[in-house]
Amino acid sequence: MSEVPDQSNGLTPSFFALVLSGGLGLVATFITVVATRHPSGPQPVAYGHVQTLADPVDEWSTTMFWGDEGDGWWEGPRPVRHAGTARNGPLPPVNMDAVYA
C-alpha cells in the first residue's frame, strides 16, 4: 500500500479562526466608522430623492448654473432667500449664513 501524502497547509483550525475573526473585526470596524462619520460642510436636502432634487430646477437646459436667486420675502429680522437655477450665466454663490426657503 502506498502512503497518502500530507495535504494540509500547516494551518491549524485555531489559527484559521483567529485570522478569520480578525479580518471580520476589521471589516466591522470599517463599516462602523463609515456609518457613524458626520460629513463636513453642507449636505443636499434631498440626499438622493430624485423628485425633490428636480423640484428646485426652474427650467431644464443642457447647461444650468446653481446659486442664489436673491431675496424672496422678509420673515422677522432676516430676509428669506431663494436658491435656484439659471441658464443664462452663473448666479452668485449660496450664502451659508442666510435663511433659504
Side-chain angles (χ1 to χ4, degrees):
M1 228 179 190
S2 65
E3 264 186 59
V4 177
D6 183 17
Q7 296 192 4
S8 69
N9 56 5
L11 296 178
T12 62
S14 60
F15 180 73
F16 178 73
L18 180 67
V19 170
L20 181 64
S21 62
L24 290 175
L26 287 174
V27 169
T29 302
F30 174 74
I31 290 172
T32 301
V33 167
V34 168
T36 58
R37 168 175 114 33
H38 296 288
S40 61
Q43 299 300 311
V45 176
Y47 216 66
H49 188 254
V50 176
Q51 184 60 48
T52 306
L53 289 171
D55 286 343
V57 177
D58 300 325
E59 290 183 39
W60 287 97
S61 174
T62 55
T63 304
M64 291 189 291
F65 300 95
W66 175 261
D68 183 8
E69 289 188 338
D71 291 344
W73 66 88
W74 285 83
E75 185 174 296
R78 300 174 71 179
V80 177
R81 304 186 67 80
H82 292 285
T85 59
R87 61 181 171 159
N88 298 334
L91 291 169
V94 173
N95 182 357
M96 298 306 296
D97 297 324
V99 177
Y100 283 88

